[in-house]
Amino acid sequence: MIEAQVITTPIGPLALLAREGVLLAAGFTTGPDEMFARLSPELRAEGLTLTDDLGRPARAVRDYLNGDLTALDAVPVEQPGTPTRQRLLTALRQVPAGVTISYAELAERAGLPRTAARAAGSACAQNLIAPFVPCHRILPSTGGFGGYYYGTPVKQWLLTHEGAPAIERLRVREESR
């Protein structure tokens, strides 16, 4: 059985879905159903139950929000993907809080050529475990924030919370468009 908990955050509810302490999905949604629907049919067949406390993943979110920017890093995660996507997700998870890189740099960190930036973008777009797998830390090399499944304001908030450099300058440039 997959367990779910919704945690209130300054940027809205964060749904967490886990099985035996391993996070399978997380996202800024009003409830776990949206995240559950994105799981594979095999996982959905296990069913979903709500819990008041998922334990370690929930504590990590609270600690992260309270300033321990490395708290999310220690939570085990699991999501599907090809070997290339898994390399990209692993490289993505290694981008530290407060750091932003481009999609091309993410591709390089995963052992791919810089020209695999689209593959890196696709891995970010299909990431099921935000912000634990921090796709919000990847920005387009052309400038701006780029897209984010949960909206640019959420991405901006996360980056500001983490103290990423030049975020205010990016925000002003985005608002002036």
Side-chain angles (χ1 to χ4, degrees), residues 128-163:
L128 295 176
I129 311 177
F132 293 80
V133 179
C135 53
H136 63 276
R137 296 177 188 155
I138 312 305
L139 302 175
S141 58
T142 55
F145 285 101
Y148 189 62
Y149 189 86
Y150 304 103
T152 303
V154 173
K155 186 173 189 172
Q156 289 175 315
W157 190 94
L158 291 166
L159 292 172
T160 300
H161 175 68
E162 294 176 358

Side-chain angles (χ1 to χ4, degrees), residues 21-108:
V22 177
L23 208 54
L24 303 173
F28 293 94
T29 63
T30 56
D33 292 341
E34 179 184 340
M35 298 310 303
F36 187 70
R38 294 178 68 193
L39 295 176
S40 70
E42 296 80 22
L43 286 174
R44 289 194 312 268
E46 294 182 23
L48 180 69
T49 185
L50 293 176
T51 184
D52 290 334
D53 186 9
L54 271 180
R56 186 177 183 184
R59 280 191 309 276
V61 169
R62 289 189 292 273
D63 291 346
Y64 171 81
L65 294 172
N66 287 326
D68 179 358
L69 301 180
T70 64
L72 305 180
D73 301 343
V75 176
V77 300
E78 178 184 311
Q79 59 183 313
T82 64
T84 297
R85 173 149 300 135
Q86 291 299 320
R87 287 181 15 218
L88 286 161
L89 293 172
T90 297
L92 181 56
R93 195 126 200 249
Q94 294 169 351
V95 177
V99 173
T100 59
I101 63 171
S102 70
Y103 293 99
E105 186 174 345
L106 177 61
E108 280 187 326

